[in-house]
Amino acid sequence: MAEIITRSEEAIDLENMYGAHNYHPLPVVLSKGDGVFVWDVEGKKYYDFLSAYSAVNQGHCHPKIIDTLTEQARKLTLTSRAFYNDVLGPYEKFITSYFGFDKILPMNTGAEGVETALKICRKWAYERRNIPENEARIIVCENNFHGRTTTVISFSNDPDARKNFGPYTPGFMKVPYNDLSALEEALKQENVAGFLVEPIQGEAGVFVPDDEYISEAARLCRKHDVLFIADEIQTGIARTGSLLRVCGDCSCENKCEQQDTYTKPDMLILGKALSGGAYPVSAVLADDEIMDVIKPGQHGSTFGGNPLGSAVAMTALEVIYDEKLIQNARQLGNVFRERMQKLVESTELLSLVRGKGLLNAVVINDSPESTTAWDMCVALKDNGLLAKPTHGNIIRFAPPLVITEDQLHDCCDIIEKTVKEFSR
Ligand SMILES: *Cc1c(COP(=O)(O)O)cnc(C)c1O
């Protein structure tokens, strides 16, 4: 039996001693979560404004999701795909109709979802577009974040993510984000098979592109017979005030295909909130003419499509509509940005607030090399709110979408108070 942790320092010491130092966490040790709140081992309560990088959109330990998890865990957890199981089929029917695609390929983590989409894209290029073997190229954006596998970091331009992890996987070309003419130039080059993009760049600091960027990018891809691949691992599943960010500014509960703001990707990658944070579940969705390139034995994962993850994902998606989280994210996102805008105008310390729905960031008026964002996150923690800097001068604010308006105002008060302490 593991030792019982009663003080934060004990847990921090153990992680430092026995864990690889591949993260630099804020000094807080959490032991309980419920909805928008988490508690540390000393019993102090915090608002969670990171939501596990938008994996717990439905709130911590959502009772319905946990019920499904525990019930399914008692029945059957894993069979591998060597056999059929009685949850995967119903899940596949459910999620394809939920998002409007013919087929799903189920995986576990986000990076695996991205890898899956890249492999399908390449195979499609050779078998449907007759691109010469090993010549397919995929366009990505500068400052992208798509995960941590060797191939995915091959097209990162973050030195920390890349340096000394080569040799890199070839076959990728980079264009600036939110630049349609650069994309069009790249699309005109030979053997281009796909364009992989985040509809909002989350890790880069919540960069929201121009309104028409996504729909125009998809149109250009179609014109050049290139697959438009949307990585909605962070932006999807109600986070930005629509079901997916590719829905545009539409918060309907209907099938998005009926809305003229909707841009249907050729492939959609989901993860994170697909399980509400209860279990790693990711997915690639596509229509038959694309997904059909994958035949038995050509791709897979021992845990992908397991009955536990499949059951959890269905409930996690049901909660989104049952609790009107799309509408809540949209409404409270406006409230949040309005209050932050006032704060930005009242202090030299902050330069701007940006975002969509409840995926927002505040940019601090200091250099990206400064520690101001980190220091401010430590102060926010002391005042009862957890957020994490992305780069030295940006703080992302992304609470669980179950937050109420009163709670959100309470949080804005905490942020205001903390910033004012800093301005003195
Ligand atoms: C988090 C994230 C990933 C990677 O997901 P993991 O589950 O950490 O592998 C990929 N793309 C985007 C946009 C993400 O935010």
Side-chain angles (χ1 to χ4, degrees), residues 109-111 145-147 198 231 233-234 272:
T109 65
F145 182 85
H146 296 287
E198 301 158 84
D231 179 348
I233 292 168
Q234 188 160 158
K272 294 198 167 112

